[in-house]
Amino acid sequence: MNTTARYIHALGPAALTRFYDPVVRWVMREDAFRNRVLTHAELAPGQRLLDVGCGTGTLALLAKQRHPGVEVHGVDGDDKVLALAREKDERAGAGVRFERALAWALPYPDGTFDRVVSTLMFHHLTVDDKQRTAREIVRVLRPGGALVLADLGSPRSAPGRALARALFRASRFDDHLAGRLPALLGGAGLSEVAEVDQHDVGPLPIAVIRGHKPRGDG
Ligand SMILES: C[S@@+](CC[C@H](N)C(=O)[O-])C[C@H]1O[C@@H](n2cnc3c(N)ncnc32)[C@H](O)[C@@H]1O
């Protein structure tokens, strides 16, 4: 696959991907986290939803189960994780459409989606790739549509800051730890971008950020 930066799989090394679901379930009160993201997406029947970097498809499947009238798509750059997502979808009979794509080259026409969600994916990307992914998400959103992004945020407590300094040394974490993701999304063309919620994983916050694609009618 043609990419400018090293591809980072769900748990880092590709061989660990099959352990992704149990690890996430164990580490982060997953149901509460995912329900929170979907609540902020404010889905309604007849809408189209895209999950970018959908991984094993847990959020996309939950979205389809909670909102059967929504057409749900998931993209991920990793065939192996998509195979797990498709297996889960088949078992659940949910009908999510999964496709392989890099986050900055989404295989959809402009304005296809009412909502885009992306959880725990942006920290896999370099600063440049975050920016081009954000622009690509804006492209596939319809005017007035919304992005809900959830990922590592800026720790507010001293233990959180110390843990983050120890764990997240690579430069791709800098925008997260400095609380710059809303500004980055605003720079890509989203409006009213704000951190609307926070899900704590021990002393580390997962920031839930929401923004809209302007309607273009002034
Ligand atoms: C930590 S997992 C998160 C998966 C899922 N969104 C969730 O909340 O469980 C990150 C996912 O992003 C995908 N990913 C990483 N870089 C990507 C890229 N450039 N384009 C598309 N997907 C990417 C990985 O394959 C992985 O499945």
Side-chain angles (χ1 to χ4, degrees), residues 30-99:
E30 187 181 16
D31 290 351
F33 167 63
R34 300 206 185 275
N35 278 310
R36 223 160 180 160
V37 169
L38 290 181
T39 298
H40 289 290
E42 295 179 346
L43 293 165
Q47 289 183 334
R48 269 198 211 112
L49 167 72
L50 173 65
D51 183 356
V52 178
C54 63
T56 59
T58 309
L59 181 67
L61 286 169
L62 184 64
K64 188 69 186 164
Q65 283 159 349
R66 267 183 60 175
H67 303 278
V70 171
E71 183 180 306
V72 182
H73 296 248
V75 295
D76 199 283
D78 177 2
D79 271 335
K80 290 211 171 83
V81 88
L82 284 173
L84 296 173
R86 290 188 180 112
E87 271 172 30
K88 283 163 67 175
D89 183 68
E90 217 159 276
R91 277 200 304 274
V96 175
R97 304 173 196 194
F98 291 106
E99 295 205 59

Side-chain angles (χ1 to χ4, degrees), residues 27-206:
V27 167
M28 64 180 299
R29 292 179 294 123
E30 187 181 16
D31 290 351
F33 167 63
R34 300 206 185 275
N35 278 310
R36 223 160 180 160
V37 169
L38 290 181
T39 298
H40 289 290
E42 295 179 346
L43 293 165
Q47 289 183 334
R48 269 198 211 112
L49 167 72
L50 173 65
D51 183 356
V52 178
C54 63
T56 59
T58 309
L59 181 67
L61 286 169
L62 184 64
K64 188 69 186 164
Q65 283 159 349
R66 267 183 60 175
H67 303 278
V70 171
E71 183 180 306
V72 182
H73 296 248
V75 295
D76 199 283
D78 177 2
D79 271 335
K80 290 211 171 83
V81 88
L82 284 173
L84 296 173
R86 290 188 180 112
E87 271 172 30
K88 283 163 67 175
D89 183 68
E90 217 159 276
R91 277 200 304 274
V96 175
R97 304 173 196 194
F98 291 106
E99 295 205 59
R100 183 189 185 194
L102 289 175
W104 52 80
L106 299 172
Y108 310 102
D110 297 359
T112 301
F113 294 98
D114 302 279
R115 299 286 184 268
V116 174
V117 290
S118 186
T119 56
L120 311 177
M121 195 276 291
F122 260 58
H123 70 275
H124 287 232
L125 307 180
T126 64
V127 177
D128 285 352
D129 288 345
K130 283 181 186 23
Q131 287 169 348
R132 60 181 173 148
T133 294
R135 288 195 297 271
E136 183 68 344
I137 288 172
V138 173
R139 182 185 71 73
V140 300
L141 272 174
R142 68 158 171 79
L147 166 70
V148 179
L149 183 148
D151 213 315
L152 177 67
S154 179
R156 288 169 196 161
S157 67
R161 284 193 291 273
L163 187 61
R165 268 198 304 277
L167 291 180
F168 307 120
R169 291 160 176 268
S171 59
R172 63 194 164 88
F173 296 113
D174 290 353
D175 285 321
H176 297 256
L177 300 180
R180 288 194 296 259
L181 285 183
L184 185 146
L185 297 174
L190 288 171
S191 64
E192 303 160 50
V193 186
E195 184 172 325
V196 291
D197 209 346
Q198 187 178 300
H199 178 82
D200 291 323
V201 180
L204 295 173
I206 304 293

Side-chain angles (χ1 to χ4, degrees), residues 10-28:
L11 282 179
L16 297 183
T17 296
R18 65 203 159 103
F19 302 116
Y20 183 79
D21 278 353
V23 167
V24 169
R25 213 173 301 128
W26 181 66
V27 167
M28 64 180 299

